[in-house]
Amino acid sequence: MHPGTFAKTNPSHAAIVTDEGRRVTYGDLDARANQVSRYLESLGIGYGDRVAILLPNGVEFLEAAWGAHRLGCYYATLNHHLLVPEISYILADCAATVLFTSLQLGDPARFFKDAPALKTVIVVGGDAPGCIPYSVIEHFSGAPLEENLDGGVMLYSSGTTGRPKGIVIPRPRVEISPPFPLRSMFERLSMDENSVYMTPAPLYHAAPSAWSMSTHRVGATLVLMTQFDATRALQLIAGCRVTHAQFVPTMFTRMLQLPEAVRSSFNLGSLRAVIHSAAPCPASVKRAMIEWWGPIIWEFYGASEGHGATMLNSEEWMSHPGSVGKPIFGEPHIVAEDGTEAPPNVIGDIYFRGGLPFKYHGDVDKTREAYNERGWARVGDRGYLDKDGFLYLADRSNDMIISGGVNIYPRDAEDALALHPLVSDVAVIGVPNAEFGEEVKALIVLNDPQTANPVTAQLLIAHCREQIAHFKCPRSIDFVAEVPRGPNGKLYRRRAREAYWRNSDSELA
């Protein structure tokens, strides 16, 4: 199923409602997506080709995504907070020949230089030298396509070492048809054409884009926020009669921090299910949300690789506090260090059997390391299964920091800081943050300890921000005599974190 299905059966039904008051029907969305598809076809784009989308939240993002999807393309959704060299690397790595972007994000022609495969940049919001205005699609027919192929997103997940890696889930040349990957979740949540689903998060992230487009595969209405604001989110839930919504724990915290008079001024009775994911949620925050909104809070755990997923509702969480649920696709297994399967309540590496096959673009070794000899797949998380089959997350075997639902890999900031002339050694870790769950901190050994002061700290943070996206950079720096390393120079990052987490009251569920 896809927007064209509902453009035939219920063309005037709202497919998208934005927080700026724009309403797009299924008939409109289908026609615009068809125009995008036909324009891409005129450029020679087809099944298996790569298209990139660098756009803020908006209707055009979804039009471009559906237009590429129905040609059977892989479309890379890019974080517009990355710096130009980071974006250019991804464009070059995925060999995107077409880029959709916006004038509000800066000069779009700047990406041509370092992305040799890039031939066409399509710009929303006006004209730019050497680029094509998005209005070009209006010259193409919005009539239904003869064939609607099932394309897919190509997400980029940075590794703990080296450059970001594209996640490729092989897709046969088939028509769009159920079941789609999120179908089992949607059935559990009773999402159908009468539902109103709200997403407050950036569409360049995996879950918001997947859930938003899946909303259009069941004929429901998507309420799209351009950016999250706690009060505005409550206004939209009340005003649009939202039935389903998805948040990250940081958003829960910000809504809970609103004055009681503001929180109680909105009628939120339309809500039937609220989903959270992307980062561990403090148990106190989750309990407060259940007390406020009732037992409608659901949690799911999964990864961009699609190797497996779990889910649980409020009642299950209350009886299994800290769990991320039971499997809804893929079968979880806990593997000990010796490669044997661990018994219940024993921590090990989390593997899934029977999930979607995936590979890391251009990295045979990383792909091979993701699978064991039984064909089970992992992405670096650790945890355990209890006797009832509920999964619990314990730690990450990789070094990823999750801040406000955003994955951050410390190697990026370490590389940016390591060669500064003031720095002798550096370790970047995640430390507790009451609002975001974790925040980025750098532990730095200076060549001259006498220069350890707040001015130096701010200088190094500014240096980091000149090289990589700000959200990857440390919010604070502690100057230390040494960082924990083994005789071979290996950084013991977990040991570096221990002092910061030992006395933390950030109980993670």
Side-chain angles (χ1 to χ4, degrees), residues 13-14 26 186 189-197 215 218-222 241-244 272:
H13 187 55
Y26 269 95
F186 275 42
L189 299 172
S190 300
M191 287 186 67
D192 56 26
E193 66 274 12
N194 297 313
S195 301
V196 179
Y197 168 77
T215 295
V218 299
T221 297
L222 169 67
R241 305 299 295 160
V242 170
T243 60
H244 298 75
R272 299 204 303 266

Side-chain angles (χ1 to χ4, degrees), residues 321-344:
S323 174
V324 293
K326 285 187 170 183
I328 56 173
F329 70 86
E331 181 182 289
H333 294 268
I334 307 301
V335 177
E337 289 186 8
D338 63 1
T340 61
E341 191 158 5

Side-chain angles (χ1 to χ4, degrees), residues 33-43 71 140-146:
N34 288 336
Q35 288 176 313
V36 170
S37 296
R38 294 182 188 280
Y39 175 58
L40 291 176
E41 280 186 317
S42 76
L43 299 175
L71 289 178
F140 292 81
S141 171
L145 302 177
E146 293 181 3

Side-chain angles (χ1 to χ4, degrees), residues 4-317:
T5 305
F6 306 100
K8 293 177 182 177
T9 59
N10 196 1
S12 62
H13 187 55
I16 305 170
V17 176
T18 74
D19 57 0
E20 297 173 335
R22 187 173 175 186
R23 183 180 187 274
V24 179
T25 67
Y26 269 95
D28 295 335
L29 175 60
D30 181 56
R32 296 283 283 183
N34 288 336
Q35 288 176 313
V36 170
S37 296
R38 294 182 188 280
Y39 175 58
L40 291 176
E41 280 186 317
S42 76
L43 299 175
I45 303 298
Y47 169 74
D49 289 333
R50 311 294 167 85
V51 172
I53 301 174
L54 178 69
L55 289 170
N57 278 16
V59 172
E60 291 82 6
F61 189 113
L62 292 158
E63 291 173 351
W66 273 117
H69 188 106
R70 297 196 306 197
L71 289 178
C73 297
Y74 285 104
Y75 45 100
T77 57
L78 307 186
N79 182 341
H80 53 76
H81 295 292
L82 297 176
L83 300 188
V84 172
E86 296 170 302
I87 293 170
S88 295
Y89 167 77
I90 295 174
L91 291 173
D93 185 72
C94 73
T97 56
V98 175
L99 168 67
F100 290 88
T101 187
S102 170
L103 278 183
Q104 76 178 74
L105 302 178
D107 175 18
R110 66 197 189 279
F111 299 113
F112 280 120
K113 178 182 177 183
D114 297 316
L118 188 62
K119 305 301 181 186
T120 306
V121 175
I122 304 164
V123 183
V124 174
D127 297 321
C131 303
I132 305 297
Y134 186 70
S135 58
V136 69
I137 70 169
E138 295 168 6
H139 299 294
F140 292 81
S141 171
L145 302 177
E146 293 181 3
E147 185 180 32
N148 285 285
L149 297 178
D150 203 11
V153 66
M154 183 176 179
L155 296 164
Y156 268 77
S157 178
S158 179
T160 56
T161 61
R163 294 282 201 167
K165 300 298 180 185
I167 299 167
V168 178
I169 299 174
R171 313 190 79 86
R173 185 185 175 108
V174 296
E175 286 265 348
I176 300 177
S177 60
F180 54 94
L182 295 180
R183 186 78 187 190
S184 58
M185 292 188 186
F186 275 42
E187 289 173 349
R188 286 172 180 250
L189 299 172
S190 300
M191 287 186 67
D192 56 26
E193 66 274 12
N194 297 313
S195 301
V196 179
Y197 168 77
M198 185 177 81
T199 182
L203 291 173
Y204 55 71
H205 283 313
S209 62
W211 282 71
S212 295
M213 293 184 71
S214 294
T215 295
H216 293 148
R217 298 183 80 152
V218 299
T221 297
L222 169 67
V223 176
L224 180 63
M225 296 190 72
T226 51
Q227 60 182 11
F228 176 74
D229 175 82
T231 303
R232 184 63 175 139
L234 299 180
Q235 289 174 335
L236 288 168
I237 292 170
C240 297
R241 305 299 295 160
V242 170
T243 60
H244 298 75
Q246 184 176 155
F247 299 93
V248 298
T250 300
M251 296 174 183
F252 283 162
T253 299
R254 291 183 180 177
M255 290 187 289
L256 287 166
Q257 289 172 344
L258 291 172
E260 177 58 33
V262 174
R263 288 171 49 187
S264 61
S265 65
F266 299 103
N267 180 357
L268 309 179
S270 61
L271 285 172
R272 299 204 303 266
V274 173
I275 312 99
H276 75 86
S277 63
C281 183
S284 58
V285 171
K286 189 160 184 173
R287 290 192 183 98
M289 288 303 301
I290 293 173
E291 290 175 3
W292 181 14
W293 287 358
I296 63 170
I297 309 297
W298 290 71
E299 180 173 0
F300 79 88
Y301 159 73
S304 301
E305 286 84 348
H307 70 315
T310 63
M311 196 170 190
L312 83 170
N313 60 28
S314 293
E315 290 84 356
E316 290 170 324
W317 183 82

